Amino acid sequence: MDRHKLLFNRYTDIVLPYQDKYRYDSTLELDTSVAEFVGYLSSWSPYQKFIEKNQQRTDVLEQVLIDFMTTLTSERKPDKTRLLFEHPTFLLISRKPES
């Protein structure tokens, strides 16, 4: 199964093999600056893979930063412009029964 599909479906397609199981859903909230958020995006694996394949396109996150600032219509610098980042998180836990 495509791992991106699993992620975007929030692991709902995964069937845990044992009776003793638990699912935890939450939202990660992060109060951050636009500059810090763009730095965070640079750490993402898909971005790193994109840069490996498209070495001439190292300006992508610079454009993201510009687009954020334009959308937010902020006159402050990116490191002084705050935003609240919310990201869904989920965890599946299952315990094998003792034999």
Side-chain angles (χ1 to χ4, degrees):
M1 180 174 279
D2 178 28
R3 66 183 202 178
H4 292 108
K5 181 181 177 190
L6 283 173
L7 181 63
F8 291 128
N9 285 339
R10 302 172 63 121
Y11 291 0
T12 56
D13 298 333
I14 294 177
V15 177
L16 297 175
Y18 306 114
Q19 292 292 109
D20 191 5
K21 55 189 167 190
Y22 178 75
R23 178 181 178 93
Y24 175 77
D25 289 271
S26 185
T27 301
L28 171 70
E29 293 182 357
L30 179 64
D31 181 1
T32 187
S33 73
V34 171
E36 290 168 334
F37 181 72
V38 172
Y40 170 67
L41 293 178
S42 74
S43 72
W44 283 12
S45 175
Y47 173 74
Q48 296 297 325
K49 288 179 182 176
F50 175 83
I51 292 301
E52 285 176 18
K53 292 180 182 177
N54 303 281
Q55 293 180 0
Q56 72 280 8
R57 295 292 318 273
T58 58
D59 63 333
V60 172
L61 289 183
E62 291 173 27
Q63 187 59 51
V64 169
L65 182 89
I66 292 166
D67 291 348
F68 259 116
M69 297 307 292
T70 301
T71 301
L72 295 171
T73 61
S74 177
E75 295 183 14
R76 297 185 204 171
K77 293 186 177 193
D79 64 332
K80 301 294 184 197
T81 303
R82 306 301 297 174
L83 55 88
L84 178 63
F85 172 64
E86 295 182 353
H87 190 278
T89 59
F90 38 93
L91 175 68
L92 305 177
I93 301 172
S94 182
R95 181 173 37 190
K96 183 177 179 178
E98 295 180 26
S99 355

